[in-house]
Amino acid sequence: MPASPIRTALIGYGYAGRTFHAPLIRAVAGLDLVAVGSRQPAAEVQDTAPGITVIADPHAAATWEGADLIVIATPNDSHAALAEAALAAGKHVVVDKPFTVTLAEARRLADAAAASGRVLSAFQNRRWDSDFLTVKSAIESGRLGEIVQFDSHIDRFRPVVLDRWRERPGPGAGLWFDLGPHLLDQAFQLFGLPDTMAVSIAQQRAGAMAPDWFHAVLSYPRLRAVLQGGMLVSGGSARFTLHGTVASLVKGNVDVQESQLRAGVVPGDLDWGIDLDAATLFDGATGDTETLAANDGDYRRYYGAVVEAIRGAAPNPVTPAEAVAVMAALETGMQSAAEGRVLPLPLTEAEAAAFYAAQRARVGITAEKEIDPLAGSIL
């Protein structure tokens, strides 16, 4: 007999909730979107979510008895309180990135999830970007050799500062907290936790009230991972550039799923996630180039994995321990930029061990084996 659908309430119906979460939840078997928590008039929400229950109070939505899973897509500084309330009410929880706005909050949420026995997961959808999956496959193939430089950019040209919470001053605002969680999480998935970080953050646009540019260097024994985002870049930056001891790789364009969602494409439609932008491999010994077809992306795989985790059939796709590690890096990056210092991640041995345990669980290996933090491979 098929399992009952997991009744899901989505809190927040702004850009992230309406554009990303609602369509993806509806597109994944095993999830049933039954309510939206939003202060928008119910009729406006129901224009794009017909028949949905609309709950005006976010806390009431987080604890609503009609839901099994709570998805939090509200402003960043509200994530921790709503997630704690949902966990205390016995709900499973998905929190959009950034997980929280402080490391202390992230640790408190991780402890609350452990005590509740419920699934708590961070929405790191860009693990299922076509560009990232293409780069990950190339690294795993061994054709690049040992990676010694990794450049990851998400750059945009948006010169006009908008009056929205993401661009106003305050906890969790600005580009470092918006795009930084994605780039950090991707780097951590490929290479593990860095030894140190050095970060520069700036406000470059006229009228900017929150950071709109960042440059972060994650240092490993030999590898340097460079992460960058800006709002005044009209072109010329590849999404990924990798240099290895055998070859280099360039992946030019970004994943198409966000633009598809903005255009109203239904996840799973014929062209969903298909990436026609091939990567180029540059052979170091011969100078020859080779075109590598891009992997297709699919954000539905995140929510599909959440369903399996709630049902006890698979590991959590993004664990609290991984979210704590990213939050530690975000907070350390802010300190590094303010003080002009190179800093280590302030994770305990237990937190680092939990991070690597999550990676081991997903690749189905035993605790006796280890993940090489430098190469991101199994030893």
Side-chain angles (χ1 to χ4, degrees), residues 231-373:
M231 300 289 267
L232 288 175
V233 183
S234 56
S237 296
R239 174 66 183 90
F240 287 106
T241 303
L242 288 75
H243 300 297
T245 54
V246 174
S248 296
L249 184 82
V250 176
K251 175 67 173 75
N253 294 336
V254 300
D255 178 272
V256 299
Q257 291 173 89
E258 181 171 358
S259 61
Q260 288 181 324
L261 288 166
R262 285 201 309 266
V265 174
V266 175
D269 278 0
L270 184 62
D271 294 330
W272 173 252
I274 295 176
D275 188 349
L276 301 179
D277 175 59
T280 302
L281 184 145
F282 300 83
D283 186 274
T286 66
D288 294 340
T289 62
E290 180 180 345
T291 298
L292 302 181
N295 296 39
D296 293 334
D298 194 349
Y299 295 159
R300 294 175 300 167
R301 289 169 57 190
Y302 170 78
Y303 269 116
V306 169
V307 170
E308 294 302 298
I310 290 173
R311 291 177 174 168
N316 185 341
V318 185
T319 67
E322 293 171 298
V324 166
V326 170
M327 189 59 242
L330 288 170
E331 194 167 274
T332 300
M334 294 295 290
Q335 183 183 356
S336 171
E339 300 176 1
R341 292 199 295 144
V342 178
L343 297 170
L345 290 186
L347 294 173
T348 66
E349 289 186 9
E351 288 169 339
F355 171 89
Y356 286 115
Q359 292 196 331
R360 286 195 295 269
R362 274 195 297 276
V363 295
I365 65 172
T366 64
E368 286 75 25
K369 295 183 181 180
E370 297 178 355
I371 291 179
D372 177 1

Side-chain angles (χ1 to χ4, degrees), residues 16 20-21 72-76 79 94-100 121-126 156 165-166 172 174-183 185 326 330:
F20 283 88
H21 293 280
I72 298 170
T74 54
N76 297 343
H79 288 181
V94 166
V95 184
D96 203 340
K97 58 79 201 169
F99 189 54
T100 59
S121 188
F123 183 64
Q124 288 289 1
N125 58 302
R126 288 191 179 275
R156 298 163 173 166
W165 65 262
R166 295 178 191 276
L175 204 61
W176 177 237
F177 275 83
D178 186 19
L179 297 182
H182 288 310
L183 302 192
D185 182 73
V326 170
L330 288 170

Side-chain angles (χ1 to χ4, degrees), residues 32-184:
D32 183 14
L33 183 61
V34 295
V36 166
S38 175
R39 293 194 175 97
Q40 299 176 39
E44 291 184 13
V45 175
Q46 290 165 349
D47 279 344
T48 54
I52 205 80
T53 297
V54 180
I55 303 170
D57 178 61
H59 185 274
T63 58
W64 186 50
E65 63 180 11
D68 311 302
L69 169 65
I70 305 298
V71 176
I72 298 170
T74 54
N76 297 343
D77 60 0
S78 65
H79 288 181
L82 291 173
E84 285 182 300
L87 290 168
K91 313 299 183 183
H92 304 287
V93 180
V94 166
V95 184
D96 203 340
K97 58 79 201 169
F99 189 54
T100 59
V101 297
T102 69
L103 179 55
E105 286 180 340
R107 286 169 165 159
R108 192 167 67 242
L109 273 191
D111 289 343
S116 72
R118 295 295 187 260
V119 171
L120 171 64
S121 188
F123 183 64
Q124 288 289 1
N125 58 302
R126 288 191 179 275
R127 293 188 191 180
W128 291 272
D129 271 355
S130 59
D131 45 51
F132 175 72
L133 293 172
T134 301
V135 164
K136 184 172 183 286
S137 294
I139 293 172
E140 291 173 346
S141 74
R143 296 191 62 191
L144 305 180
E146 179 188 340
I147 306 302
V148 295
Q149 182 175 334
F150 171 81
D151 289 357
S152 173
H153 286 234
I154 298 183
D155 292 319
R156 298 163 173 166
F157 187 70
R158 297 180 182 172
V160 178
V161 177
L162 301 179
D163 184 19
R164 57 179 186 165
W165 65 262
R166 295 178 191 276
E167 299 189 49
R168 300 187 198 115
L175 204 61
W176 177 237
F177 275 83
D178 186 19
L179 297 182
H182 288 310
L183 302 192
L184 288 163

